Amino acid sequence: MQDVCSDADMLVLLEAARRGEPAAYDRIYNLYADRVFRYLYARIGQREVAEDLTADVFVRLLKNLPRFKVNRARPVASFSAFVYRVAGNLLTDQYRKQKHRDHQDIDDQPDLADRRPEPLILTTIAESSRELMSAMAKLGQEQQAVLLYRFGEEFSVLEVAEIMGKTTGAIKALQHRAIANLRRILSAEALQ
Amino acid sequence: MTSSSRAIRSLDVALALALDDLEAGLSQIEVLARYPGYEDELAPLLATAAKLRRADWPVLSMSARVRGRERVHVALAQQKPRRSFVLPPLWRQLGASLLLVALAVTAFMAWPGRRSDHTSMPGATPTIEATPSPGPAVESTFTPAPTETPLPSITPTPEPTEPPEAADSIRSITRTATATLSPTETPTRTLTPSPTPTATHTPTPTPTSTPTGIVAGAAADTPVPSQPSDDDDDPTEEPSPSATAVVTETPPPPEPTREPTSTRPVPTDLPPLPTGLPRLPTDLPPPPELLLSPSADPSAAQTP
């Protein structure tokens, strides 16, 4: 179970982080390290690279934190979205560097602007969950994303809405469809 | 909207709430009991959601976690000294605004066309060309000129210039007012009668071959006592210990050129010069007689 943080705690935590208190950064790191890692791992598919980039995300987060304007009505959701923006930007920079090094065509790279998880993550998950993950890979990318955020990263509906740029009602509906479709796929595979 | 879609929307909400309840630690049976009417639909969805919760999602390894935390601490330690110099955004905006205002004021003061800037700029050399004319209106044109600007007909002299006898081709009359004001800077004023009824301050180093009378103050901030002055021209802030007034008359070239940049009338009742400088006459003799004939009365030309 991941560390959880209420909105009030998040406000206090962000204030302490702005003051440069190391304990506040430790808490932020504990809150988001696994989430950021999964986010990156899903897109990169290389564990070591994803781990290194996870640390880079938090270093960049530290630099960008003074410019972050927290939504005081939804501190956790807004900060989570901010963390994922930082991670996405870092990933984009990483792809640019890699493209520059390898002279590869951008079409060969994953869609950088797309934050939705890719089936790649499904091949890297433990064997015990392979059946579930293979069924998840047959979902649409938005439905995969909402399942990853809600169950893999344990975000609230509000946070997922903030990250994906949708309303909470849309996320609830998307979550419902994703779980229902996943169940159908699992049932069909069980029959075969 | 049909009733079925409305029901689905309600099931969306029920599922979201049921998932929150599961996350809060309630069992599936307890959760289903909280949403009567949705048990049949919710049960399979919650079972699938429970599988998803139990799935092995990848996590950061312990070594990577420690490495990452150390990197964050190193970055934090590197950033701390810099953070102390970071101003809040409001102060940064205020500072930037003040800087812009200061730049604007400086640019305004240094603007060459500005009339009175030489009084506040220490390096500027105000030049006054006073040209009496028979006409009733006496105009003055002046523009502040920096000290680097060469003035072809006048050299600002901090000390009394050579007497009129020393001038060769230029018939110059130099009067020195050693009288007295305080600070260090020395104004030099040269009066040259010219046929034009204008008094001119010229910022540009245009060599005026015209028969002009030029009153030049060498030090910008130097006060000149009882100088026939425009209010802009008034020296003010630091009086000089020795004020020198040089009155020079130059013989006019054959074809005078007049290029005043701006004109404005000079008051006819000018205050007297500090040490015995004659007042500029309001009724000056006609230009040809004054400038071209060597027998013209120089005192009349010097007198404001």
Side-chain angles (χ1 to χ4, degrees), chain B residues 117-126 147 185 218-222:
Chain B
D117 59 348
H118 63 278
T119 59
S120 59
M121 294 183 66
T125 302
T147 50
E185 297 168 355
D221 294 338
T222 307

Side-chain angles (χ1 to χ4, degrees), chain A residues 27-189:
Chain A
R27 179 87 194 279
I28 290 174
Y29 187 84
N30 289 335
L31 278 171
Y32 287 96
D34 283 334
R35 295 170 173 181
V36 169
F37 167 71
R38 277 194 286 268
Y39 174 83
L40 296 172
Y41 192 19
R43 279 151 183 78
I44 297 173
Q46 301 174 17
R47 187 175 188 94
E48 291 181 358
V49 177
E51 287 176 345
D52 289 341
L53 284 181
T54 300
D56 292 341
V57 167
F58 284 92
V59 171
R60 188 178 283 197
L61 194 69
L62 175 69
K63 294 176 181 172
N64 292 333
L65 191 60
R67 281 179 282 177
F68 168 62
K69 294 181 179 177
V70 63
N71 180 354
R72 301 190 80 85
R74 298 184 299 174
V76 173
S78 65
F79 184 68
S80 298
F82 174 66
V83 171
Y84 277 86
R85 275 199 303 274
V86 172
N89 291 338
L90 187 76
L91 200 57
T92 302
D93 294 345
Q94 185 71 14
Y95 280 139
R96 281 181 186 151
K97 288 178 187 173
Q98 188 175 351
K99 175 176 177 282
H100 185 69
R101 281 198 304 265
D102 301 342
H103 301 283
Q104 292 177 344
D105 189 72
I106 192 66
D107 294 337
D108 296 337
Q109 302 291 343
D111 185 5
L112 303 179
D114 193 354
R115 292 180 176 177
R116 292 167 295 192
E118 297 161 1
L120 179 62
I121 192 172
L122 306 180
T123 64
T124 62
I125 294 183
E127 191 71 27
S128 58
S129 301
R130 186 171 297 275
E131 183 186 355
L132 182 66
M133 297 300 131
S134 64
M136 227 177 102
K138 296 176 183 173
L139 297 174
Q141 289 193 330
E142 274 201 336
Q143 293 183 12
Q144 282 186 42
V146 76
L147 293 183
L148 173 68
Y149 289 137
R150 284 287 285 136
F151 300 102
E153 303 181 5
E154 299 181 6
F155 283 131
S156 68
V157 170
L158 200 61
E159 288 173 310
V160 176
E162 190 90 18
I163 292 167
M164 296 183 71
K166 295 179 179 294
T167 63
T168 54
I171 295 299
K172 286 174 184 173
L174 188 62
Q175 170 182 257
H176 176 209
R177 287 198 301 272
I179 293 175
N181 287 335
L182 183 66
R183 181 184 170 277
R184 273 197 292 272
I185 293 169
L186 288 172
S187 300
E189 288 178 351

Side-chain angles (χ1 to χ4, degrees), chain B residues 119 148 187 197 213 225 261:
Chain B
T119 59
E148 297 84 11
T261 55

Side-chain angles (χ1 to χ4, degrees), chain A residues 26 30 47 56 125 176 183, chain B residues 12 44 56 59 69 71 73:
Chain A
D26 279 346
N30 289 335
R47 187 175 188 94
D56 292 341
I125 294 183
H176 176 209
R183 181 184 170 277
Chain B
D12 294 340
D56 287 331
V59 294
R69 187 177 287 117
R71 283 191 58 191
H73 284 191

Side-chain angles (χ1 to χ4, degrees), chain B residues 175-181 187-189 191 215 222-229 235 240-247 270-279 302 304:
Chain B
R175 300 200 175 192
T176 304
T178 51
T180 65
L181 297 181
T188 302
R189 308 257 172 186
L191 293 178
V215 177
T222 307
V224 177
S226 69
Q227 169 66 26
S229 62
S240 67
S242 65
T244 303
V246 178
V247 179
L270 297 171
L273 284 175
T275 56
L277 284 178
R279 297 175 63 85
Q302 299 158 9

